[in-house]
Amino acid sequence: RRTTPRTHSTRGGILVGFMKQVVIIESSPTATPQKVAEVLRRNGYVTVLVSLIGSDDSYSLKRAYDKRIFFDFKFFKVNFRNLLMILFYSFKKSKRIISGFLEIRRLKPYVVIARATPNWMCVLSMFIFRKYPVIYFPYDIRSFCYNSLREAKEDGVPYFEILAERYCFQHADGIIHKGKENELEFLDQNIFGRKIYIKSPTLHFLPYCLNTFMVPIQNKILKRGEIHLVFVGHVAQIESFWAELNEIVRHRIHIHLYGKTANINKEGSYNSSLASKYGAILHSHYLHLHRQVDQEILAAEISHYDLGIWLGFHDVKKKNIAFATGNKFASYFEAGLPFIYFKNHQYIDKLMKKFGLDLGIEFKDLAHLKDILSKHNYGELVRRLKKAREEFEITKHI
C-alpha cells in the first residue's frame, strides 16, 4: 500500500519519504492518538484526523496532523424522544456533513485507526474504509463496565452499541488496547451473548509520554501544612468522586481540577449539573476549578503542584477499573509529578510498583493523607519518576 513518494524533505531532522497516510478517527480528539500521530508524522507518515466534534484551534493538533476534518456534530442520546432534535441538527449541519464526507472520500490511507467510544462510529469507519485495513482502538472497553447485558441497558447503553463493540472485536483488521496486557482474554460473554474469538493481530500499547510535552522536573519540598493536589481528566458526577473530593477538602488539602470530558467543549466542562451535584464544596477555599487547557501546555500548567491524584471509583471492583490505564499517568509524568491512586486500580498499581512509585491508598486513607505522604521521601519519588518517564517516552515504543 505504499504510495508514490513526494519530494523528500526533512522535518525535525528525520527524512520524510514514502508518505504513507495514517487516518485516525475519533468522536473528539484525545491525547494518546494525538501523540501517536505526532511521532508517526515525525517519521515520515502523513497523518489525518477525522473527528465528529471539536475544532481546529489547537496548536498541538496542528502539529500532530497534516490534515484535520471536523464534522462539528453535537452528541445526543439516541432515543425516540431525541429523534426530531437529531434530524433537525443534522439538517442544519448538512453542508458541513457533505463537505466532510467528500474530504473523506479523497483519502487514500495506508491504515485507519478508529478509536472508540462510541463503537458504532468504528463500525461505520470499517464500512466507509472497507478497501483499507482498519484498526480498532477501544480505549476503554465498554463491556468491562458491566456484569450483564441487563445492567448495561439499565445504565442507558443502547443495545446496538454493545453489538457494535462485539462486531469490532471480531471484524477489525487489528486491535490496539491500552489496559492490562492480557485483558482481551476476559471479554465477557455475559455481555456479548457468546464468547469472543479475536482473529486479528493485537497490540498492547500504553498511553505513553511525549517528549515535547515534558517539562523540567522541579526541585520541591512537600510542605505538610499546605499540600496542593491536582487532578486532570473527566470530572465524574458520581457519588464516589464527590465523596473523595469532600474528604480531601474536609482535611484541608488543596485540590485543583482541570476537567476535561470527551464530547464536551471548554465551556461545558463545569456546567449547572456539576454545580447541583457537588453543592457546597464548590465554594470551599480548598477546591479550585480550572478551565481545561490544551494538551500542549497542560504539563507546564500543573507542574507547580505537589502531586497528582487519580480520583474516582474507589468502590468499584469491575474489570474497567482493575484493568484500565489512562492518559492521566502520562500527563502527571510529563509534568514531573508523582501521583496518588486507589489500590483497586490494580494495573496502575502494578505499573507504579515497577518503578517504586506506588502511592496506592484506600478511601479511608484520605483522612490521614498528610501523615501518609510525610513518610515518603519526596525527593526520591521524583528521582524515580524521572527514570520512569524516560522509559515511558512514546518514541521508544512507536
Side-chain angles (χ1 to χ4, degrees):
R1 297 183 186 277
R2 181 173 292 172
T3 57
T4 304
R6 297 196 304 213
T7 304
H8 290 326
S9 61
T10 58
R11 184 184 292 116
I14 298 175
L15 188 66
V16 177
F18 298 113
M19 309 311 257
K20 297 175 180 178
Q21 189 182 77
V22 177
V23 176
I24 295 177
I25 300 174
E26 300 193 81
S27 56
S28 63
T30 53
T32 298
Q34 177 185 328
K35 293 175 186 179
V36 169
E38 179 167 334
V39 182
L40 288 178
R41 192 181 184 195
R42 291 182 205 168
N43 285 277
Y45 291 86
V46 175
T47 55
V48 180
L49 170 67
V50 178
S51 179
L52 297 187
I53 69 170
S55 62
D56 207 12
D57 60 354
S58 165
Y59 172 75
S60 57
L61 284 180
K62 292 176 181 177
R63 191 174 65 190
Y65 295 100
D66 292 278
K67 184 178 182 64
R68 299 159 301 279
I69 302 170
F70 290 95
F71 280 91
D72 195 24
F73 278 146
K74 265 189 179 179
F75 267 79
F76 298 97
K77 191 173 243 185
V78 182
N79 55 39
F80 185 75
R81 186 172 57 184
N82 288 339
L83 185 58
L84 284 177
M85 196 181 298
I86 294 169
L87 292 173
F88 173 76
Y89 191 82
S90 299
F91 177 76
K92 183 180 175 182
K93 294 289 182 180
S94 58
K95 186 176 180 181
R96 172 66 261 177
I97 294 170
I98 292 169
S99 64
F101 271 111
L102 289 176
E103 287 184 89
I104 287 174
R105 294 283 291 178
R106 289 191 285 268
L107 299 175
K108 297 186 183 302
Y110 170 70
V111 71
V112 176
I113 302 173
R115 194 271 302 167
T117 55
N119 289 289
W120 62 258
M121 179 192 68
C122 300
V123 174
L124 183 62
S125 301
M126 292 179 191
F127 174 77
I128 294 172
F129 291 100
R130 56 190 176 276
K131 295 181 181 179
Y132 305 97
V134 178
I135 296 172
Y136 174 51
F137 184 12
Y139 204 76
D140 294 322
I141 298 175
R142 182 162 245 170
S143 56
F144 280 178
C145 301
Y146 306 102
N147 292 318
S148 67
L149 182 58
R150 178 181 177 181
E151 186 181 335
K153 289 179 178 179
E154 288 175 350
D155 198 43
V157 180
Y159 184 52
F160 68 80
E161 177 67 5
I162 296 293
L163 293 178
E165 184 170 90
R166 182 174 73 187
Y167 183 90
C168 289
F169 277 121
Q170 292 182 315
H171 295 90
D173 297 297
I175 295 168
I176 296 174
H177 66 108
K178 66 171 183 61
K180 186 179 178 181
E181 295 95 332
N182 65 338
E183 64 180 340
L184 299 183
E185 297 175 13
F186 294 88
L187 290 173
D188 197 338
Q189 65 189 53
N190 293 334
I191 302 293
F192 291 127
R194 60 174 180 265
K195 187 171 176 60
I196 301 298
Y197 294 97
I198 294 175
K199 301 175 183 177
S200 65
T202 64
L203 174 67
H204 181 242
F205 193 83
L206 294 171
Y208 294 107
C209 304
L210 183 64
N211 50 12
T212 53
F213 288 171
M214 289 183 186
V215 297
I217 295 179
Q218 300 180 24
N219 292 320
K220 289 180 283 194
I221 298 173
L222 198 62
K223 298 177 182 178
R224 189 169 186 262
E226 194 77 1
I227 295 174
H228 286 259
L229 307 179
V230 62
F231 171 83
V232 299
H234 174 50
V235 179
Q237 297 179 44
I238 56 174
E239 193 66 32
S240 65
F241 200 99
W242 177 88
E244 293 156 16
L245 279 181
N246 190 58
E247 196 72 0
I248 291 168
V249 166
R250 191 165 70 87
H251 289 89
R252 299 183 179 184
I253 297 174
H254 291 274
I255 176 72
H256 298 258
L257 302 182
Y258 285 80
K260 183 174 182 181
T261 299
N263 309 331
I264 294 180
N265 60 22
K266 292 178 182 178
E267 289 69 31
S269 290
Y270 303 116
N271 53 26
S272 57
S273 60
L274 182 66
S276 64
K277 181 69 179 176
Y278 290 103
I281 64 170
L282 287 177
H283 305 290
S284 169
H285 169 68
Y286 293 94
L287 181 65
H288 311 272
L289 299 181
H290 301 265
R291 289 170 66 86
Q292 70 180 69
V293 298
D294 187 66
Q295 199 71 33
E296 179 77 18
I297 62 172
L298 179 63
E301 176 82 15
I302 67 174
S303 62
H304 58 277
Y305 300 117
D306 297 313
L307 299 120
I309 187 167
W310 198 306
L311 290 171
F313 307 102
H314 67 265
D315 53 351
V316 174
K317 297 180 180 179
K318 294 177 182 176
K319 292 190 284 290
N320 64 312
I321 300 301
F323 293 175
T325 63
N327 193 62
K328 286 182 188 61
F329 82 77
S331 293
Y332 296 142
F333 276 14
E334 287 160 355
L337 295 179
F339 67 90
I340 302 157
Y341 56 89
F342 291 105
K343 290 180 179 178
N344 63 329
H345 291 73
Q346 294 173 17
Y347 188 56
I348 294 295
D349 189 47
K350 176 183 176 182
L351 291 173
M352 294 304 99
K353 282 179 176 175
K354 179 180 177 181
F355 296 99
L357 292 167
D358 42 318
L359 293 175
I361 62 170
E362 296 179 356
F363 178 77
K364 60 182 175 61
D365 296 326
L366 288 173
H368 314 286
L369 192 56
K370 289 181 180 179
D371 292 330
I372 292 170
L373 293 175
S374 68
K375 296 175 182 177
H376 288 274
N377 183 325
Y378 187 78
E380 182 60 29
L381 285 174
V382 170
R383 283 190 288 274
R384 293 172 187 171
L385 186 144
K386 185 176 181 180
K387 179 182 177 182
R389 77 174 187 174
E390 289 173 357
E391 181 165 328
F392 274 95
E393 209 284 308
I394 194 171
T395 56
K396 296 183 178 180
H397 305 275
I398 198 68

